[in-house]
Amino acid sequence: MNLRWMRAPGIFKIFFRNFIWRYNTGAKKVYLTFDDGPIPESTLWTLDMLKEKEVKATFFCVGENVYKHPELFQKILDNGHAVGNHTYNHLKGWSVDTSKYIENVIMANDLIKSNLFRPPYGQIKSAQAKHLLSEYKLVMWDVLSGDYRKDISPEKCYQDVLKSVRPGSIILFHNHAKSEENMRFAVPRLIDELKLQGYEFDICH
Ligand SMILES: [Zn+2]
């Protein structure tokens, strides 16, 4: 991935100006986010690692995974992390009509109960967004890790994220099998390095 694409392109930020791409408060904070869980192996590992590092993060959960693994979802909450809604079936907004999309989000929120929402694949129609913005904060990202990419090494995944982080960055990693190797390598190193640089870690809000 070319580095200039590591950050979401400016034109989308203008178009989706009501979305949260970054917490630009001047504070030296970053916001780790993990999408697509909870799934047993990946999420348990993530929770243990975050506990050891004493860092809080935000998990954008897929409703059907919460349904399958309620104890994991509860563990995320018990460990003091934030949770957000990522639809029930990980829907692609551009290919689904608005009423079906909203229904799916509501179904997920019966389990997740959060006012934070992140559209899977970053895909959402303006009608869908307009509808959701009355109830949810739409949290996007400032740094996409590319942890799911097979064409980048774990080391490159780590280095690319590190180069792109700035104060207020919302950083996107995943909790799914495809991302496992890069995510497990990059996140603990990133936390250690950013702490050395004086960053604090906060949850999305
Ligand atoms: Zn996703």
Side-chain angles (χ1 to χ4, degrees):
M1 187 185 276
N2 188 312
L3 195 60
R4 72 198 169 93
W5 294 108
M6 289 294 291
R7 286 190 186 146
I11 189 160
F12 288 116
K13 292 192 195 187
I14 294 161
F15 183 62
F16 294 127
R17 64 188 179 282
N18 291 315
F19 294 15
I20 299 168
W21 294 92
R22 180 185 171 206
Y23 294 99
N24 193 8
T25 62
K28 205 168 177 184
K29 283 184 177 181
V30 289
Y31 301 78
L32 282 175
T33 65
F34 296 91
D35 286 9
D36 299 357
I39 60 166
E41 200 182 53
S42 187
T43 304
L44 274 177
W45 182 89
T46 304
L47 288 173
D48 287 346
M49 182 272 302
L50 292 174
K51 193 172 201 170
E52 191 197 307
K53 306 271 183 206
E54 296 180 320
V55 160
K56 303 295 184 211
T58 305
F59 291 77
F60 286 90
C61 296
V62 171
E64 63 179 339
N65 287 339
V66 176
Y67 180 78
K68 283 185 211 156
H69 310 290
E71 71 298 338
L72 269 179
F73 180 72
Q74 190 56 46
K75 194 167 181 185
I76 295 172
L77 296 174
D78 290 347
N79 286 16
H81 302 295
V83 292
N85 185 329
H86 198 48
T87 74
Y88 196 90
N89 296 111
H90 205 255
L91 295 185
K92 277 188 175 157
W94 297 346
S95 354
V96 178
D97 68 50
T98 296
S99 60
K100 192 181 167 207
Y101 193 79
I102 302 302
E103 255 172 50
N104 204 266
V105 173
I106 292 170
M107 192 157 83
N109 226 40
D110 284 344
L111 300 173
I112 297 166
K113 302 183 199 316
S114 170
N115 70 337
L116 305 177
F117 177 77
R118 174 177 284 165
Y121 313 97
Q123 285 192 9
I124 188 163
K125 292 176 186 167
S126 57
Q128 294 161 350
K130 200 176 160 194
H131 203 104
L132 291 177
L133 279 165
S134 62
E135 305 254 350
Y136 299 89
K137 292 181 179 176
L138 269 59
V139 182
M140 307 301 273
W141 57 86
D142 183 50
V143 181
L144 179 64
S145 72
D147 56 357
Y148 51 89
R149 296 180 47 173
K150 292 297 166 205
D151 59 331
I152 61 171
S153 66
E155 177 66 28
K156 179 159 172 50
C157 176
Y158 163 64
Q159 291 294 345
D160 284 352
V161 173
L162 188 61
K163 277 180 223 158
S164 302
V165 166
R166 53 185 171 164
S169 281
I170 301 171
I171 308 168
L172 197 168
F173 283 95
H174 290 88
N175 268 185
H176 59 38
K178 244 189 333 186
S179 302
E180 202 74 21
E181 193 187 351
N182 286 352
M183 188 277 287
R184 287 194 188 206
F185 182 90
V187 179
R189 283 164 183 80
L190 188 68
I191 290 172
D192 290 346
E193 176 57 30
L194 292 178
K195 277 183 175 174
L196 281 176
Q197 293 183 15
Y199 278 94
E200 288 175 38
F201 293 80
D202 205 349
I203 54 176
C204 297
H205 50 83

